[in-house]
């Protein structure tokens, strides 16, 4: 990160602390106005990416103030309220800088660094046999009377089946990802599912009957093959999601306070099993289930599912929630030392970054930490947050 970049981040921090004077406020205001024209800040960035970044910042500014911010076409200057909002989303700016030029780690810190997750999963067949997909060779890994399970060269697990007399029973398979793992599977009906870290999906090797039932723990993104005759059902511990053909994301981790079902395309019906509450959501909506109740909110659905495209997108994400995401993806233990001030983060960070590169972004918002080498039976590094 160069000096002009650090200057802007310092100004954001000063404004957030209420110590920025009139001249510094004007400097920050002018910076936003010329964001996409300053070569010192944006060298090497495409015009399209600059436009998307500036528009993304403005969306978050409007979302933070809950009021419209007037931005004339010729003079993109912000009011004081706009500057307050920029301070609230300063991590967006930091993420923008680091996205363009990831931090260079010195030899000492690199020894403690943690690599990001990768395509790793265990497939458990109905017979109980387990196949480590990280070690399995590309090609057909299982075949049985009209059913082929294939690991493709791009890391996708694909099911191919044809009707076979006497084999209408639903033999269940389970795909499980560890901490630091993810995997994509294409089911026998053509449904595509991306499974996030520390998740498990149980499904029939081939579908029969009047429904297509699957069970999920953790998080997954679904692109369901349309079939009016056979609804697709996703069951979690607390909820049931029914669809015909649609794109949606379900986050049902047991260590989160609520389950979230987010719709990108189509329509789904969400039922809370405990209180038998039921809602139908539309694209751009999220059904959040807590203690048997369901609440619908409007969200950025694409951001919610961005993990499958290799990006963390944070939108006023609390510290503990963010750290749980990092813990799953980087296979680390996170502990809190002393009184850690709760704060929120907004911005996007590439999931291909190492842990230290991600933490370098978070340091801008005064997140202090230390990393300790793997110790103990689980062989996981420990990330300790300190005041």
């Amino acid at each position: 990160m160069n000096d002009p970049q650090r200057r802007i981040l310092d100004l954001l921090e000063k404004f957030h602390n209420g110590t920025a004077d009139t001249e510094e406020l004007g400097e920050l205001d002018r910076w936003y106005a010329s964001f996409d024209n300053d070569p010192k800040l944006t060298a090497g960035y495409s015009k399209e990416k600059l436009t998307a970044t500036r528009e993304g910042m403005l969306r978050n500014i409007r979302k933070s103030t809950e009021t419209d911010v007037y931005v004339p076409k010729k003079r993109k200057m912000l009011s004081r309220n706009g500057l307050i909002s920029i301070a609230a989303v300063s991590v967006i700016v930091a993420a923008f800088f680091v996205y363009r030029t990831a931090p260079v780690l010195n030899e000492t810190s690199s020894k403690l660094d943690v690599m990001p997750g990768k395509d790793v999963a265990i497939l458990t067949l109905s017979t109980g046999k387990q196949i480590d997909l990280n070690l399995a060779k590309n090609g057909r890994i299982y075949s049985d009377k009209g059913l082929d399970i294939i690991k493709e060269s791009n890391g996708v697990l694909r099911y191919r089946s044809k009707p076979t007399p006497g084999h209408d029973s639903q033999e269940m398979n389970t795909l499980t990802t560890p901490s630091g793992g993810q995997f994509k599977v294409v089911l026998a009906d053509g449904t595509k599912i991306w499974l996030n870290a520390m998740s498990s999906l149980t499904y029939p090797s081939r579908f029969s009957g009047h429904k297509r039932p699957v069970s999920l723990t953790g998080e997954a993104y679904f692109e369901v093959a349309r079939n009016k005759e056979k609804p697709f059902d996703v069951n979690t511990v607390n909820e049931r999601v029914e669809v015909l053909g649609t794109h949606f994301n379900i986050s049902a981790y047991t260590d989160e306070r609520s389950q979230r079902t987010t719709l990108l395309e189509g329509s789904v019906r969400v039922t809370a099993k405990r209180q038998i509450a039921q809602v139908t959501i539309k694209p751009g909506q999220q059904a959040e289930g807590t203690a048997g109740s369901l609440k619908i909110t409007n969200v950025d659905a694409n951001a919610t599912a961005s993990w499958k495209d290799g990006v963390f997108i944070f939108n006023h994400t609390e510290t503990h929630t963010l750290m749980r995401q990092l813990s799953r993806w980087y296979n680390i233990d996170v502990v809190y030392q002393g009184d850690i001030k709760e704060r929120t983060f907004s911005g996007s960070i590439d999931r291909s970054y190492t842990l230290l590169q991600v933490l370098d972004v978070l340091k801008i918002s005064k997140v202090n930490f230390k990393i300790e080498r793997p110790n103990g039976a689980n062989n996981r590094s420990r990330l300790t947050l300190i005041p």
Side-chain angles (χ1 to χ4, degrees):
M1 191 175 299
N2 59 35
D3 291 340
Q5 294 168 357
R6 292 192 182 278
R7 171 61 176 167
I8 294 302
L9 295 172
D10 288 342
L11 290 174
L12 288 167
E13 183 66 25
K14 292 182 71 173
F15 186 86
H16 181 73
N17 294 332
T19 59
D21 58 28
T22 303
E23 184 177 343
E24 289 169 331
L25 289 177
E27 184 178 348
L28 187 56
D29 203 12
R30 289 190 297 274
W31 168 79
Y32 181 85
S34 61
F35 176 73
D36 53 355
N37 296 318
D38 189 342
K40 294 180 180 179
L41 295 174
T42 60
Y45 230 56
S46 69
K47 182 177 180 180
E48 292 77 12
K49 195 68 177 180
L50 287 170
T51 300
T53 300
R54 181 161 50 78
E55 290 177 351
M57 289 173 64
L58 187 56
R59 281 197 303 272
N60 279 275
I61 289 168
R62 285 173 172 155
K63 199 176 294 182
S64 299
T65 59
E66 296 182 347
T67 59
D68 289 334
V69 178
Y70 177 63
V71 183
K73 291 183 179 180
K74 293 184 179 180
R75 186 174 180 268
K76 305 182 186 72
M77 302 291 281
L78 294 179
S79 66
R80 185 176 177 83
N81 287 336
L83 287 172
I84 292 173
S85 302
I86 289 183
V89 296
S90 60
V91 174
I92 288 180
V93 185
F96 164 72
F97 292 147
V98 177
Y99 179 89
R100 187 173 58 83
T101 307
V104 178
L105 305 177
N106 60 45
E107 184 177 354
T108 301
S109 63
S110 64
K111 291 180 180 179
L112 294 174
D113 205 0
V114 179
M115 295 299 105
K118 57 184 179 180
D119 293 336
V120 182
I122 298 292
L123 173 64
T124 303
L125 302 175
S126 58
T127 60
K129 178 182 178 181
Q130 293 189 329
I131 301 174
D132 187 334
L133 298 179
N134 186 43
L135 301 177
K137 295 181 179 180
N138 295 334
R140 187 168 56 190
I141 59 176
Y142 179 80
S143 182
D144 179 48
K145 299 179 180 178
L147 171 69
D148 289 329
I149 305 177
I150 300 166
K151 179 188 174 185
E152 298 182 341
S153 58
N154 57 0
V156 175
L157 186 68
R158 185 179 297 273
Y159 283 71
R160 291 178 179 166
S161 69
K162 56 184 178 181
T164 304
H167 286 272
D168 292 333
S169 61
Q170 292 189 335
E171 298 177 346
M172 306 304 288
N173 287 187
T174 299
L175 186 65
T176 306
T177 55
S179 178
Q182 64 179 12
F183 222 88
K184 178 182 176 182
V185 58
V186 181
L187 302 185
D189 67 335
T191 292
K192 301 174 183 178
I193 304 173
W194 287 256
L195 199 61
N196 207 348
M198 294 185 68
S199 302
S200 179
L201 181 75
T202 299
Y203 51 91
S205 59
R206 45 191 144 197
F207 292 101
S208 60
H210 300 294
K211 290 188 176 182
R212 294 174 287 167
V214 303
S215 298
L216 171 70
T217 59
E219 184 171 22
Y221 175 79
F222 296 80
E223 291 186 358
V224 176
R226 191 165 189 83
N227 187 335
K228 293 183 178 180
E229 306 301 322
K230 291 186 178 183
F232 193 95
D233 285 359
V234 183
N235 284 277
T236 67
V237 172
N238 296 314
E239 296 179 10
R240 175 187 176 195
V241 179
E242 304 170 81
V243 303
L244 295 176
T246 186
H247 299 181
F248 60 100
N249 191 85
I250 297 179
S251 178
Y253 286 109
T254 56
D255 60 351
E256 298 289 354
R257 292 191 299 267
S258 61
Q259 174 176 321
R260 293 179 173 87
T261 300
T262 309
L263 186 63
L264 286 83
E265 179 182 307
S267 177
V268 303
R269 183 166 60 228
V270 182
T271 302
K273 297 177 181 177
R274 190 179 304 177
Q275 299 294 333
I276 318 181
Q278 190 175 89
V279 297
T280 299
I281 58 176
K282 300 176 181 179
Q285 291 185 331
Q286 181 180 88
E288 181 177 3
T290 307
S293 65
L294 293 169
K295 178 180 68 175
I296 297 178
T297 56
N298 295 320
V299 298
D300 184 344
N302 288 315
T304 301
S306 64
W307 62 266
K308 78 177 181 64
D309 298 317
V311 181
F312 289 112
I313 294 185
F314 305 119
N315 186 5
H316 302 291
T317 304
E318 295 180 347
T319 303
H320 286 72
T321 301
L322 184 151
M323 288 301 158
R324 285 194 292 271
Q325 292 186 42
L326 297 186
S327 174
R328 297 176 194 129
W329 184 234
Y330 291 95
N331 188 28
I332 57 174
D333 293 320
V334 178
V335 298
Y336 300 85
Q337 178 179 303
D339 183 19
I340 303 299
K341 181 181 178 181
E342 189 62 80
R343 49 172 57 87
T344 60
F345 302 86
S346 296
S348 59
I349 304 175
D350 201 303
R351 276 163 62 104
S352 67
Y353 282 178
T354 68
L355 179 61
L356 280 177
Q357 288 172 336
V358 171
L359 294 174
D360 191 74
V361 176
L362 300 184
K363 281 196 301 185
I364 301 300
S365 290
K366 306 301 182 183
V367 173
N368 301 311
F369 62 88
K370 64 179 179 180
I371 299 178
E372 298 172 90
R373 289 186 175 86
N375 187 21
N378 62 12
N379 198 38
R380 287 156 63 101
S381 294
R382 173 182 290 184
L383 170 65
T384 301
L385 270 66
I386 55 181

